Amino acid sequence: MQIRTDLAMESQALSPSPSGVTSRRTTRGNLEEIDVKVESDEAAKALEKDKGAYITLYHPLLSHADAEERKEIIESLARVVRELTPKGGDILVVGLGNRHMTADSLGSRVVEDLLITRHMKDMTEGELKNRLRGVCGVAPGVLGVTGMETAEMIKGITEHVHPAAVIAIDALAARESSRIGTTIQVTDTGIRPGSGVGNHRAGLNRDSLGVPVIAVGVPMVVYAAVIARDALSLLLRDMDVNEDEHQQAMDGMVEQITRQGLGELVVTPREVDELVGRVARLIADGLNLALQPGLSLEEIQYLSHDGP
Amino acid sequence: MQIRTDLAMESQALSPSPSGVTSRRTTRGNLEEIDVKVESDEAAKALEKDKGAYITLYHPLLSHADAEERKEIIESLARVVRELTPKGGDILVVGLGNRHMTADSLGSRVVEDLLITRHMKDMTEGELKNRLRGVCGVAPGVLGVTGMETAEMIKGITEHVHPAAVIAIDALAARESSRIGTTIQVTDTGIRPGSGVGNHRAGLNRDSLGVPVIAVGVPMVVYAAVIARDALSLLLRDMDVNEDEHQQAMDGMVEQITRQGLGELVVTPREVDELVGRVARLIADGLNLALQPGLSLEEIQYLSHDGP
Amino acid sequence: MQIRTDLAMESQALSPSPSGVTSRRTTRGNLEEIDVKVESDEAAKALEKDKGAYITLYHPLLSHADAEERKEIIESLARVVRELTPKGGDILVVGLGNRHMTADSLGSRVVEDLLITRHMKDMTEGELKNRLRGVCGVAPGVLGVTGMETAEMIKGITEHVHPAAVIAIDALAARESSRIGTTIQVTDTGIRPGSGVGNHRAGLNRDSLGVPVIAVGVPMVVYAAVIARDALSLLLRDMDVNEDEHQQAMDGMVEQITRQGLGELVVTPREVDELVGRVARLIADGLNLALQPGLSLEEIQYLSHDGP
Amino acid sequence: MQIRTDLAMESQALSPSPSGVTSRRTTRGNLEEIDVKVESDEAAKALEKDKGAYITLYHPLLSHADAEERKEIIESLARVVRELTPKGGDILVVGLGNRHMTADSLGSRVVEDLLITRHMKDMTEGELKNRLRGVCGVAPGVLGVTGMETAEMIKGITEHVHPAAVIAIDALAARESSRIGTTIQVTDTGIRPGSGVGNHRAGLNRDSLGVPVIAVGVPMVVYAAVIARDALSLLLRDMDVNEDEHQQAMDGMVEQITRQGLGELVVTPREVDELVGRVARLIADGLNLALQPGLSLEEIQYLSHDGP
């Protein structure tokens, strides 16, 4: 049984830190930022993450922060995205995941709240037009729903639309339930094959698309098997068991998990439907602010939502 | 930490069978039917279930059965519901739960697929009219959404609509993930306070409403804490630990569960959105068949769905 | 063919103003307020409206007003509702209409955006609790969906919940397409039988419920037949036709309308789905502000929406 | 003001039949089939339709037909689609329109009910696999939502997925309200620029995509302006007016329509939400039957819906 996490900061915590990884942690009130850089091939292999920058924002009440903290989160996210994104040219935002599976619908919901402007250049008059950067967005759906690899579709669209970069939004799987809906990971390495709640088969990155790919992900589930295993592991540490007994217990747990059919079960908060909506809006606000430097947050919220 | 299950058959399995409980099990192909009767006050107390009949239908592929097995499940459900329901008079079907929380939306979805006929008596002409029993339905929403106890609302509606009986549909919590979407429980004891995915505070039963209340429930979640605890318990049984160590491990698990905030986390299949839709349709077909003896299953499916 | 309008200001415009009707019109920027009072039985009969107060707010860009104007509309609506609503006691907000029919879903959507607080009195601690007025809400659905008259259900709920007043929200039919999504009518006469997009059969008012009923309505459709007839009527006025020809033309139009099956057809903007969402939010903001004098608009929007 | 219709059979009825058009009409019970072939450039110009085959199926109760008639409609649609579609290779089905605008959501809903099989070739074992033709599907959304021309996206996807043909599904505008939800048009000419409820700017056809494009459309709206004008025109025919008066009346109507802002208003049945769902399912059944000759209608309905 493999330990399944899409968060670089969790991967790093699992391994004894290999050379070629640097990390920096800053906090500001309740908002924590962890910058991990994977710089060597050995580090990439050890962490099972591609070389690149991984920035994680964590706030214990991310989706329920009060107005002031919410603004700070949005501005931090905007800053991080801006740093990884080319200055000029159109941006294509791709909402990954299955809109009909709540925990996996984050990507498509972010695209719905996004300020779509690329087509306005031909339409809008005057002043607003010059302040808008061209942004387009699509939520293509997952392989089981479309019959096509998302990567195939995005590759084809990219070749015709010629964006300067792709930003891919995805719901992630984490190792700890406390990460659900509280953590945002931004990386310039794109989407790794097999990651995400829906297990995308093909990756999306600069190699496959020919343009930079920034990925923004938020954990929405923990696999039930991971929670069960972690809990046991911690327990055994406290008990007076020898190595054989430890191994035997872990094997027993794996057998239990398999027998109970836990493999495909996920752990979510009961109110995951509402949570996804709130997080999607937060991410959309952050992206809109990053991509539209000519607009204030108030203008963005007015233009992108149903009222303020 | 309390063991949380809404299934009588699971409660019974937990306790050494007290006197005053009878149970009968019959199977037909893959479909298993378990009839539990709780007949004494002691039994009711031991199982934490009210006195009455609890009939459970279990099929490992309930929502994905092939056409023939599906028909058999629907007909079995119809028979069980018919046995507990008064022969004459209007029936009020109440869809419990929160339609905006996927795992808790079963009740409201069943009401959407129900054949609503009570108002047709004044409208329809001729032959069909005489073959229809009056059925009405409402999905009032949960306390957090309405600000009103469901029981208050249903009591008020019942006093004005005068149904011969109320049938309440609810998503349940089970102890084993294998029960999710595979088990239907029908009981003439109504809804017990504090049960269901959404933890209804007040109960719905003959005492509170003044008419018979039949409850139809399907497990849609298992609380994460329950799964973790069960897995550990089974493991410890296989390990050579004494009673003190056993207790210590269980306490450690409870602490872990609390620390990880597992209390409100639920385990569901990833595809719970689709699962709820399929199960809702199955239950609706069964209820429609039970309540409209003048119609065939084909007529029911034609009238209640978008086509066959 | 009857002229179908739910707006008192349109009824009044149709008739030569009978005695017993007073009306006052004030404008402030783009926002127009018309207060109509129907005070005599003759006036009530002539206008086909119950005796009482009808306040209409009109803004040509109601749902797309900029931030400042939006605030003004919300505050005007709050003031009007507050004037007609008892000062103390709980308020029950009823969302009328069919949530599965877009143009008729306004009521249920407003209830979704409402600040529901009645149940919090038992839950919330400290300061916030004392600032909240008890508000509960329900969207019971329409006769064709529930098999029960909405009035039956609301009567039953009211008897158990004991609100000081009921506020009913409804999508209306207007005579002029320019009213769609731009006009809000508030009245203390409740809901008249047969009004609304969905043609409610029974009315909701102080007589039937025993408490004051304030109705808030927004036109969402114009019946196609009305538009066709109006257009023709205006045309004929410009043409040199005698009375016989006029009558003949109008009769021909009625025949045309019947032949084309226009009776049940409605005229809506293409983007009615988005429009309903925007208007629902505006109405909810206004109601929340009216009913929660202890909260600012910012607090209300923070508490009732997914973020600011 | 232009007469706006997407139905070839209506275009043809408008013009005195030019040479180069052949049409054939067959009826079977309530189901009428009209085959129009536009064969000359003059005819194409006169009808404002591209050269090619236009087959129209009309049934007055299309979406509410009884089980037997429904089967006949599905089989007729399957036959028509099969005749225009290449025998071998994968098929890409494109759902056009805006899923968030009810009357324009037909395309995306059909894709949701479609049997998606292209990815199964690598997954499924044994017998079923050999009976399946590769079908993939996407509902890319409209320009205002994505910022990209649908044609750009489909062109890019087509180049990577290499289908043998594209089938595009769209909601249409008709001239007569009796066409709404009762008529299916199938054509091998693809989608004409500017057609559909949502006014697509760029067309989708063999020239732009490099593979055959079959378009399947169902009228879902009539523009309000069209209805008003038609009604007047018929009336004037019956009245004793000279040509000048006729012209004057028509001009007056145009002015009225503009003044009332009817230009973007559409006429739909009140229950358009339900209608779209029923029609989408019918179209999906027909396409599935056409594209999966190895499966029976029963197998298709079992595999593509939530139960039978």
Side-chain angles (χ1 to χ4, degrees):
Chain A
M1 193 184 61
Q2 207 198 328
I3 296 162
R4 177 72 198 292
T5 176
D6 295 324
L7 289 179
M9 52 170 292
E10 287 187 343
S11 299
Q12 195 208 357
L14 295 175
S15 322
S17 196
S19 74
V21 178
T22 62
S23 78
R24 195 165 50 92
R25 183 170 171 284
T26 46
T27 59
R28 200 171 144 193
N30 286 316
L31 183 61
E32 183 180 276
E33 180 174 337
I34 299 178
D35 291 23
V36 175
K37 282 206 169 57
V38 179
E39 289 165 318
S40 70
D41 291 336
E42 300 77 46
K45 203 177 159 195
L47 301 183
E48 299 188 7
K49 295 283 163 227
D50 293 321
K51 280 194 286 186
Y54 297 84
I55 298 100
T56 307
L57 297 171
Y58 169 77
H59 189 292
L61 293 173
L62 188 81
S63 62
H64 287 77
D66 66 26
E68 204 176 319
E69 289 191 302
R70 199 175 186 284
K71 204 169 162 230
E72 204 177 306
I73 298 167
I74 291 169
E75 285 170 353
S76 298
L77 174 58
R79 172 180 46 78
V80 170
V81 170
R82 222 180 285 128
E83 278 167 16
L84 300 180
T85 309
K87 292 294 160 278
D90 288 348
I91 299 294
L92 169 60
V93 180
V94 178
L96 297 172
N98 184 348
R99 82 163 51 80
H100 298 298
M101 192 188 292
T102 306
D104 199 27
S105 66
L106 180 74
S108 64
R109 295 214 203 175
V110 168
V111 171
E112 283 178 20
D113 280 340
L114 210 64
L115 214 50
I116 297 294
T117 55
R118 179 172 172 266
H119 62 304
M120 289 184 183
K121 292 188 226 163
D122 309 339
M123 298 178 168
T124 329
E125 288 298 310
E127 187 250 1
L128 183 60
K129 174 180 166 171
N130 298 323
R131 288 156 66 200
L132 293 179
R133 180 179 194 173
V135 173
C136 50
V138 68
V142 295
L143 179 65
V145 167
T146 64
M148 297 176 278
E149 288 286 353
T150 305
E152 287 179 291
M153 285 193 271
I154 300 307
K155 176 77 174 152
I157 292 172
T158 301
E159 287 170 2
H160 280 262
V161 170
H162 305 298
V166 166
I167 298 182
I169 318 296
D170 203 10
L172 304 179
R175 278 184 61 76
E176 289 188 34
S177 57
S178 63
R179 294 287 165 201
I180 296 176
T182 60
T183 302
I184 309 170
Q185 174 174 276
V186 185
T187 173
D188 61 1
T189 60
I191 300 286
R192 199 183 165 85
S195 62
V197 171
N199 288 343
H200 317 301
R201 297 205 305 187
L204 282 181
N205 51 44
R206 186 194 278 265
D207 280 353
S208 64
L209 295 189
V211 295
V213 179
I214 297 97
V216 179
V218 179
M220 280 297 159
V221 305
V222 174
Y223 279 88
V226 171
I227 283 195
R229 212 177 90 138
D230 281 6
L232 178 62
S233 186
L234 282 163
L235 274 175
L236 293 172
R237 222 194 281 162
D238 296 341
M239 289 169 68
D240 190 20
V241 298
N242 62 34
E243 211 157 296
D244 273 8
E245 285 170 327
H246 189 294
Q247 190 54 45
Q248 191 186 344
M250 293 304 279
D251 291 351
M253 179 61 96
V254 170
E255 199 200 307
Q256 274 297 113
I257 286 168
T258 310
R259 190 136 47 92
Q260 288 199 26
L262 286 187
E264 284 300 281
L265 294 178
V266 293
V267 175
T268 62
R270 284 197 305 187
E271 69 280 12
V272 63
D273 306 65
E274 190 200 341
L275 183 67
V276 171
R278 285 180 171 270
V279 172
R281 193 144 177 180
L282 189 82
I283 302 288
D285 279 349
L287 289 186
N288 285 332
L289 194 60
L291 299 179
Q292 305 295 350
L295 300 181
S296 71
L297 184 54
E298 284 67 33
E299 288 176 300
I300 281 167
Q301 291 177 337
Y302 176 69
L303 290 168
S304 62
H305 304 158
D306 304 345
Chain B
M1 193 184 63
Q2 209 197 328
I3 296 161
R4 177 74 198 292
T5 175
D6 295 324
L7 289 179
M9 52 170 291
E10 288 186 343
S11 299
Q12 195 208 357
L14 294 176
S15 323
S17 195
S19 73
V21 178
T22 61
S23 78
R24 196 167 49 94
R25 184 171 171 283
T26 45
T27 59
R28 199 171 143 192
N30 287 315
L31 182 61
E32 183 180 275
E33 180 174 338
I34 300 179
D35 291 24
V36 175
K37 281 205 169 57
V38 179
E39 289 164 319
S40 71
D41 291 335
E42 301 76 48
K45 204 177 158 194
L47 302 183
E48 300 188 8
K49 296 282 162 228
D50 294 321
K51 278 193 289 185
Y54 298 84
I55 298 99
T56 307
L57 297 172
Y58 169 77
H59 189 292
L61 293 173
L62 189 80
S63 62
H64 287 78
D66 65 27
E68 203 177 319
E69 289 191 302
R70 199 175 186 284
K71 202 167 163 232
E72 203 177 306
I73 298 166
I74 291 169
E75 286 170 351
S76 298
L77 175 58
R79 171 181 45 77
V80 169
V81 170
R82 221 180 285 126
E83 278 167 16
L84 301 180
T85 308
K87 292 294 157 281
D90 288 348
I91 298 294
L92 170 59
V93 180
V94 178
L96 298 172
N98 184 346
R99 81 164 52 81
H100 297 297
M101 192 187 292
T102 306
D104 200 26
S105 65
L106 180 74
S108 64
R109 295 213 203 176
V110 168
V111 171
E112 284 178 20
D113 280 340
L114 211 65
L115 214 49
I116 297 295
T117 55
R118 179 172 172 265
H119 62 303
M120 289 186 185
K121 292 187 225 161
D122 308 339
M123 298 177 168
T124 329
E125 288 298 309
E127 186 250 1
L128 183 60
K129 175 180 166 170
N130 296 323
R131 289 156 64 201
L132 293 179
R133 179 178 194 172
V135 173
C136 50
V138 68
V142 296
L143 180 65
V145 166
T146 64
M148 297 176 278
E149 289 286 352
T150 305
E152 288 179 291
M153 285 193 271
I154 299 306
K155 176 76 175 152
I157 292 172
T158 300
E159 287 169 3
H160 280 262
V161 169
H162 304 298
V166 166
I167 299 181
I169 318 296
D170 202 10
L172 304 179
R175 278 184 61 77
E176 289 188 34
S177 57
S178 63
R179 294 286 165 202
I180 296 176
T182 59
T183 301
I184 308 171
Q185 175 174 275
V186 186
T187 172
D188 60 2
T189 60
I191 300 286
R192 199 183 165 85
S195 62
V197 173
N199 288 344
H200 318 300
R201 295 205 307 186
L204 281 181
N205 50 45
R206 185 193 278 265
D207 280 353
S208 65
L209 296 189
V211 295
V213 179
I214 297 96
V216 178
V218 178
M220 280 296 158
V221 305
V222 174
Y223 279 89
V226 171
I227 283 195
R229 211 177 93 137
D230 281 7
L232 178 62
S233 186
L234 282 163
L235 275 174
L236 292 172
R237 219 193 286 162
D238 295 342
M239 289 168 66
D240 190 20
V241 298
N242 62 34
E243 213 157 293
D244 272 8
E245 285 170 326
H246 188 294
Q247 190 55 45
Q248 191 186 344
M250 294 304 279
D251 291 351
M253 178 60 97
V254 169
E255 199 201 306
Q256 273 297 112
I257 287 168
T258 311
R259 189 135 47 90
Q260 288 199 26
L262 286 187
E264 284 299 282
L265 294 179
V266 293
V267 175
T268 62
R270 285 197 304 188
E271 68 280 11
V272 63
D273 306 64
E274 189 200 341
L275 183 67
V276 171
R278 285 179 171 269
V279 172
R281 191 146 178 179
L282 189 82
I283 302 289
D285 280 349
L287 289 185
N288 286 332
L289 194 60
L291 300 178
Q292 304 296 350
L295 300 181
S296 70
L297 184 54
E298 284 66 34
E299 286 176 302
I300 281 167
Q301 290 177 338
Y302 176 69
L303 289 168
S304 61
H305 304 157
D306 304 345
Chain C
M1 194 185 61
Q2 209 198 327
I3 296 163
R4 177 72 198 293
T5 175
D6 295 324
L7 290 178
M9 51 170 292
E10 287 187 343
S11 298
Q12 195 208 357
L14 295 175
S15 322
S17 196
S19 73
V21 178
T22 63
S23 77
R24 195 167 48 94
R25 183 170 170 284
T26 45
T27 58
R28 200 171 144 192
N30 286 315
L31 182 62
E32 182 180 276
E33 180 174 336
I34 300 178
D35 291 23
V36 175
K37 282 207 169 54
V38 179
E39 288 164 319
S40 70
D41 292 335
E42 300 76 48
K45 203 176 157 196
L47 301 183
E48 300 188 7
K49 296 283 163 227
D50 293 321
K51 279 194 287 185
Y54 298 83
I55 299 100
T56 307
L57 297 171
Y58 169 77
H59 189 293
L61 293 173
L62 189 80
S63 62
H64 287 77
D66 66 26
E68 204 176 319
E69 289 191 302
R70 199 176 187 284
K71 201 166 163 232
E72 204 176 306
I73 298 167
I74 291 169
E75 285 169 353
S76 298
L77 174 58
R79 172 180 46 77
V80 170
V81 171
R82 221 181 284 128
E83 278 167 17
L84 300 180
T85 309
K87 291 293 160 281
D90 288 347
I91 298 293
L92 170 60
V93 180
V94 178
L96 298 172
N98 184 347
R99 82 163 51 81
H100 298 297
M101 194 188 292
T102 305
D104 199 27
S105 66
L106 180 74
S108 64
R109 294 213 205 177
V110 168
V111 171
E112 284 178 20
D113 280 339
L114 212 64
L115 214 49
I116 296 295
T117 55
R118 179 172 173 266
H119 62 303
M120 288 185 185
K121 292 188 226 161
D122 308 338
M123 298 178 170
T124 328
E125 289 298 311
E127 187 251 0
L128 183 60
K129 174 180 166 172
N130 297 323
R131 290 155 64 201
L132 293 179
R133 180 179 194 173
V135 173
C136 48
V138 68
V142 295
L143 179 64
V145 167
T146 64
M148 297 176 278
E149 288 287 353
T150 305
E152 288 179 290
M153 285 193 269
I154 300 307
K155 177 78 174 149
I157 292 172
T158 300
E159 287 170 3
H160 280 263
V161 169
H162 304 297
V166 166
I167 299 181
I169 319 295
D170 203 10
L172 304 180
R175 278 183 61 76
E176 289 188 33
S177 57
S178 63
R179 293 286 164 202
I180 296 177
T182 60
T183 302
I184 309 171
Q185 174 174 275
V186 185
T187 172
D188 61 1
T189 60
I191 300 286
R192 198 184 166 85
S195 63
V197 172
N199 288 344
H200 318 301
R201 297 205 306 187
L204 282 181
N205 50 45
R206 186 194 278 264
D207 280 353
S208 64
L209 296 189
V211 296
V213 180
I214 298 97
V216 179
V218 179
M220 281 296 159
V221 305
V222 175
Y223 279 89
V226 171
I227 283 194
R229 212 177 91 137
D230 281 7
L232 177 62
S233 186
L234 282 163
L235 274 175
L236 293 172
R237 222 194 283 162
D238 295 341
M239 290 170 66
D240 191 20
V241 298
N242 63 33
E243 212 157 296
D244 272 7
E245 285 170 326
H246 188 294
Q247 191 54 46
Q248 191 187 346
M250 293 304 278
D251 291 350
M253 179 61 96
V254 169
E255 200 201 307
Q256 273 297 112
I257 286 168
T258 309
R259 189 136 47 91
Q260 288 199 25
L262 285 188
E264 284 298 282
L265 294 179
V266 294
V267 175
T268 62
R270 284 197 305 186
E271 69 280 12
V272 64
D273 306 65
E274 189 200 341
L275 183 68
V276 171
R278 285 178 172 271
V279 172
R281 192 146 178 180
L282 189 83
I283 303 289
D285 279 348
L287 289 185
N288 285 332
L289 194 60
L291 299 178
Q292 304 295 350
L295 300 181
S296 70
L297 184 54
E298 284 66 34
E299 288 176 300
I300 280 166
Q301 289 177 339
Y302 176 70
L303 289 168
S304 61
H305 304 158
D306 304 344
Chain D
M1 194 184 62
Q2 209 198 327
I3 296 162
R4 176 73 198 292
T5 175
D6 295 324
L7 290 179
M9 52 171 290
E10 287 187 344
S11 299
Q12 195 208 357
L14 295 176
S15 322
S17 197
S19 73
V21 178
T22 62
S23 79
R24 197 166 48 95
R25 185 170 169 284
T26 45
T27 59
R28 199 171 144 191
N30 286 315
L31 182 61
E32 183 180 275
E33 180 174 337
I34 300 179
D35 291 24
V36 175
K37 282 205 169 57
V38 179
E39 289 165 318
S40 71
D41 291 335
E42 300 76 49
K45 205 176 158 195
L47 302 183
E48 298 188 8
K49 296 283 162 227
D50 293 321
K51 280 194 288 184
Y54 298 84
I55 298 101
T56 308
L57 297 170
Y58 169 77
H59 189 293
L61 292 173
L62 188 80
S63 62
H64 287 77
D66 66 27
E68 204 177 319
E69 288 191 304
R70 198 175 188 284
K71 202 167 163 232
E72 203 177 306
I73 298 167
I74 292 169
E75 285 170 352
S76 298
L77 174 58
R79 171 179 47 75
V80 170
V81 170
R82 220 180 286 128
E83 278 168 15
L84 301 180
T85 310
K87 293 291 160 281
D90 288 348
I91 299 293
L92 169 60
V93 179
V94 178
L96 297 173
N98 184 347
R99 80 163 52 79
H100 298 296
M101 192 187 293
T102 305
D104 199 27
S105 66
L106 180 74
S108 64
R109 294 213 203 175
V110 169
V111 171
E112 283 178 20
D113 280 339
L114 211 65
L115 213 50
I116 297 295
T117 55
R118 180 173 172 265
H119 61 304
M120 288 185 184
K121 292 188 225 161
D122 308 339
M123 298 178 168
T124 328
E125 288 299 309
E127 187 251 0
L128 183 60
K129 175 179 166 172
N130 297 323
R131 290 156 64 202
L132 293 178
R133 181 179 192 171
V135 173
C136 50
V138 68
V142 296
L143 179 66
V145 167
T146 64
M148 298 176 278
E149 289 286 353
T150 305
E152 287 179 291
M153 285 193 270
I154 299 307
K155 175 77 174 152
I157 292 172
T158 300
E159 288 170 2
H160 280 262
V161 169
H162 304 298
V166 166
I167 298 181
I169 318 296
D170 203 10
L172 304 180
R175 277 184 60 79
E176 288 188 34
S177 58
S178 62
R179 293 289 164 200
I180 296 177
T182 60
T183 302
I184 309 170
Q185 175 175 275
V186 185
T187 173
D188 60 1
T189 60
I191 300 287
R192 199 183 165 86
S195 63
V197 173
N199 287 344
H200 318 301
R201 297 206 306 187
L204 282 181
N205 50 44
R206 186 193 278 265
D207 279 353
S208 65
L209 296 189
V211 295
V213 179
I214 298 97
V216 179
V218 178
M220 280 296 158
V221 305
V222 174
Y223 280 89
V226 171
I227 284 194
R229 213 177 91 136
D230 281 7
L232 178 61
S233 186
L234 282 162
L235 275 174
L236 293 172
R237 222 193 285 162
D238 295 341
M239 289 169 67
D240 190 21
V241 297
N242 63 33
E243 212 156 295
D244 273 6
E245 285 170 325
H246 189 293
Q247 190 55 45
Q248 191 186 344
M250 294 304 279
D251 291 350
M253 179 61 96
V254 169
E255 199 200 306
Q256 274 297 114
I257 286 169
T258 310
R259 188 135 48 90
Q260 289 200 26
L262 286 187
E264 284 299 282
L265 294 179
V266 294
V267 175
T268 62
R270 285 197 306 187
E271 68 280 10
V272 63
D273 306 64
E274 189 200 341
L275 183 67
V276 171
R278 284 179 173 270
V279 172
R281 192 145 177 179
L282 190 81
I283 303 289
D285 280 349
L287 289 185
N288 285 332
L289 194 60
L291 299 179
Q292 305 296 350
L295 300 181
S296 70
L297 183 54
E298 285 67 33
E299 286 176 301
I300 280 167
Q301 291 177 338
Y302 176 69
L303 290 168
S304 62
H305 304 157
D306 305 345

